[in-house]
Amino acid sequence: MSDKPRVLIVEDEAQIRQFLRLALAAEGCTVLEASRLADGLTLAGDGGVDLVLLDLGLPDGDGIDFIRAYRGWSDGPVLILSARTEERHKIDALDAGADDYLTKPFGIGELHARVRALMRRRARSGVAASPVVEFGEVVVDLARRLVTRRGEPVRLTPIEFRLLAMMLAHPGQVLTQRKLLADIWGPSYVESSHYLRVYVGHLRQKLEDDPTQPRHFLTETGVGYRFQPGS
Amino acid sequence: MSDKPRVLIVEDEAQIRQFLRLALAAEGCTVLEASRLADGLTLAGDGGVDLVLLDLGLPDGDGIDFIRAYRGWSDGPVLILSARTEERHKIDALDAGADDYLTKPFGIGELHARVRALMRRRARSGVAASPVVEFGEVVVDLARRLVTRRGEPVRLTPIEFRLLAMMLAHPGQVLTQRKLLADIWGPSYVESSHYLRVYVGHLRQKLEDDPTQPRHFLTETGVGYRFQPGS
DNA sequence: GGAATTGTTTACGACTTTTTTACACGGAAA
DNA sequence: TTTCCGTGTAAAAAAGTCGTAAACAATTCC
């Protein structure tokens, strides 16, 4: 099934990006690119990304925040590329959820080998298990970014889909408003809880049988929201 | 379930071995050691090894062969430690099945972080079951923020839940009114013992079989309240 | 450039939670 | 018995939170 692995490159310098693109294309990967963290999150949120190559030294924000946000809805491998050699940076990035940390300058051969190692592990750890989640009359294929209800396809906007993916990744658990806002909109939106009301409303409108009486996207007043699988 | 991860160190220099042993013990790992590849394979073959730290430069054989052999029966993570910095070696080791490659000399902090990253990935394979507290006909999953009584979910407000969590955290102990008030409402509310009567009342109403004859949320007149687990 | 889609913001009614008020109960001491 | 005091319920008022629709801005797509 997983023919061509899809790799997302988040890197601001066009030159390095091209270098990486060519290197990965030679490995037989499909390459997605972003020059800013926000774009990277959006692309990653669109689904179907098997590996993220992330430059930590981006101008528009902290790469650590990217890792944390991404980890909010995905377990996919993340490989850090950075010019920073200090141990502190490596430790912080790895502990935030990165899988490997490569210091610039690096050999293209080593990059290839480390990418292969990560992909191999991904392939082994049951990605084949179940990329499809079902609840009620809804079927969600997170990898293909496909949502259907009673067999009919459902259109979701990027933000709606990310919110859905994040809730589906934590079934039965309460996700606090802070967590959702920080991982979907960014750490500076932690106070803007009205976004959640609007977008949870959208999800209920599109996916619940009776949006007035939600059975899967439940409100925990004063705390956050809970995704209830089943039936 | 997997309390202490078991780590196998394959390294010939006793000094480095000790260094690694101490470093990993500090992380809360159980450490196995081997100074030759053959011994390492035997130990790994005995099972129960969650992570292998392997020095490539051993005198009694090629570490690459070790990896290949190990991969013959195990998918467990392998972290290479080596003095060799040439790219060729890294590529060969990674392609043979290693998951990470760290060049000596390395910082102990980075080693820790990379070990944690590998262990994290291993831990994710299994389904995380959160710890639950039970009493009477009530089951409380603090992590999921889920409370059920006779299988039926019970709705708790934020304050009710905090009060419950606090009492459950100190089973059998008397929690003074001052302590409860200070921790839940804030230090300036230590005199307002009235709140407690109202909210303990709510908990009894929602969780006790007979709210008039509480069996789990007991009053210690003049002092505070006590949570009585069991039955 | 214009149309369609998406994201952001605002406003307001409905609902939930918290706080406050009121009063009844019961044991201990006078 | 009466008078306290700390306690337990109920129900109100107040404060806060949530859901929805709709307008506006930004973006994307043709």
Side-chain angles (χ1 to χ4, degrees):
Chain A
M1 76 135 253
S2 64
D3 29 358
K4 277 184 140 192
R6 293 160 60 87
V7 179
L8 170 63
I9 300 172
V10 186
E11 161 71 63
D12 59 333
E13 284 189 48
Q15 210 171 342
I16 301 182
R17 224 162 52 222
Q18 177 179 345
F19 169 76
L20 293 172
R21 187 198 316 134
L22 295 176
L24 290 163
E27 279 281 299
C29 302
T30 303
V31 178
L32 308 172
E33 299 179 38
S35 57
R36 293 178 308 169
L37 290 175
D39 299 344
L41 271 182
T42 307
L43 274 174
D46 284 350
V49 169
D50 299 309
L51 169 66
V52 177
L53 293 195
L54 173 64
D55 179 1
L56 274 195
L58 259 59
D60 70 319
D62 193 345
I64 299 284
D65 288 332
F66 179 99
I67 305 172
R68 278 196 249 277
Y70 185 58
R71 281 283 172 262
W73 75 84
S74 171
D75 284 348
V78 175
L79 169 53
I80 303 294
L81 308 172
S82 172
R84 298 179 188 156
T85 58
E86 302 104 273
E87 195 179 12
R88 185 76 252 153
H89 287 118
K90 299 188 188 179
I91 297 173
D92 289 345
L94 290 168
D95 280 342
D99 292 287
D100 201 346
Y101 190 111
L102 203 44
T103 308
K104 298 178 189 174
F106 46 80
I108 192 172
E110 180 174 0
L111 174 66
H112 276 158
R114 287 191 183 267
V115 166
R116 280 195 296 268
L118 288 172
M119 300 299 251
R120 194 171 55 221
R121 192 142 279 285
R122 178 191 69 96
R124 270 189 195 144
S125 72
V127 165
S130 168
V132 176
V133 184
E134 297 186 38
F135 61 92
E137 303 181 297
V138 178
V139 181
V140 181
D141 186 333
L142 287 172
R144 298 187 197 286
R145 205 188 180 287
L146 225 55
V147 182
T148 58
R149 174 148 179 267
R150 294 176 189 154
E152 292 292 307
V154 179
R155 294 180 62 92
L156 292 185
T157 73
I159 288 188
E160 287 165 7
F161 187 78
R162 267 206 271 170
L163 178 57
L164 175 66
M166 189 154 169
M167 300 198 67
L168 261 50
H170 302 94
Q173 206 179 337
V174 174
L175 291 171
T176 65
Q177 304 188 352
R178 292 183 67 86
K179 170 94 176 139
L180 288 165
L181 288 164
D183 286 4
I184 295 176
W185 278 271
S188 53
Y189 287 73
V190 162
E191 310 282 339
S192 323
S193 61
H194 56 271
Y195 281 45
L196 281 177
R197 290 190 214 110
V198 173
Y199 277 90
V200 171
H202 289 173
L203 284 187
R204 296 209 257 238
Q205 211 68 42
K206 293 183 178 182
L207 301 178
E208 290 275 7
D209 265 349
D210 178 0
T212 319
Q213 300 277 318
R215 299 179 57 200
H216 299 107
F217 300 95
L218 310 181
T219 305
E220 298 283 333
T221 306
V223 184
Y225 293 89
R226 180 206 309 278
F227 166 63
Q228 180 77 47
S231 76
Chain B
M1 62 145 245
S2 64
D3 31 356
K4 275 186 142 188
R6 294 161 61 86
V7 180
L8 170 62
I9 301 173
V10 186
E11 161 71 61
D12 59 332
E13 283 188 48
Q15 208 170 344
I16 300 181
R17 224 162 52 223
Q18 176 178 346
F19 170 76
L20 293 172
R21 187 199 317 136
L22 294 175
L24 290 164
E27 280 281 299
C29 301
T30 303
V31 179
L32 308 173
E33 298 179 38
S35 58
R36 293 180 307 166
L37 291 174
D39 298 346
L41 274 179
T42 308
L43 273 174
D46 288 347
V49 169
D50 299 310
L51 170 66
V52 177
L53 293 195
L54 173 63
D55 179 2
L56 275 195
L58 260 59
D60 69 317
D62 192 345
I64 300 284
D65 290 332
F66 178 99
I67 305 172
R68 294 217 178 86
Y70 184 58
R71 279 283 172 264
W73 78 83
S74 171
D75 285 347
V78 175
L79 170 52
I80 302 295
L81 308 172
S82 171
R84 300 183 187 152
T85 59
E86 302 103 272
E87 196 179 10
R88 186 74 253 153
H89 287 118
K90 300 187 187 179
I91 298 173
D92 289 345
L94 290 167
D95 280 344
D99 291 287
D100 202 347
Y101 190 110
L102 203 44
T103 308
K104 298 179 189 174
F106 47 80
I108 192 173
E110 181 175 358
L111 174 66
H112 275 158
R114 288 192 183 265
V115 167
R116 280 196 295 269
L118 289 171
M119 299 299 251
R120 195 169 55 221
R121 203 141 269 292
R122 179 188 67 99
R124 270 196 194 133
S125 311
V127 179
S130 40
V132 296
V133 184
E134 298 187 39
F135 62 92
E137 302 182 296
V138 179
V139 180
V140 181
D141 184 333
L142 288 174
R144 292 231 162 93
R145 212 174 189 287
L146 213 65
V147 182
T148 56
R149 173 148 181 267
R150 294 178 189 152
E152 290 295 305
V154 179
R155 296 184 64 87
L156 294 185
T157 72
I159 288 189
E160 287 165 6
F161 190 82
R162 270 203 275 169
L163 178 58
L164 174 66
M166 196 158 165
M167 300 197 66
L168 260 50
H170 305 279
Q173 270 180 56
V174 177
L175 290 170
T176 65
Q177 303 189 351
R178 294 182 66 86
K179 169 92 174 140
L180 287 167
L181 287 163
D183 284 11
I184 296 176
W185 278 271
S188 53
Y189 287 73
V190 285
E191 309 286 338
S192 323
S193 62
H194 189 85
Y195 286 44
L196 280 178
R197 294 195 206 104
V198 173
Y199 277 91
V200 171
H202 287 175
L203 283 188
R204 298 209 257 240
Q205 209 68 42
K206 293 182 177 181
L207 301 178
E208 291 275 7
D209 264 350
D210 179 1
T212 319
Q213 301 279 319
R215 299 178 57 198
H216 299 107
F217 300 97
L218 309 180
T219 305
E220 299 284 336
T221 304
V223 185
Y225 293 89
R226 185 159 57 88
F227 166 63
Q228 178 74 45
S231 80

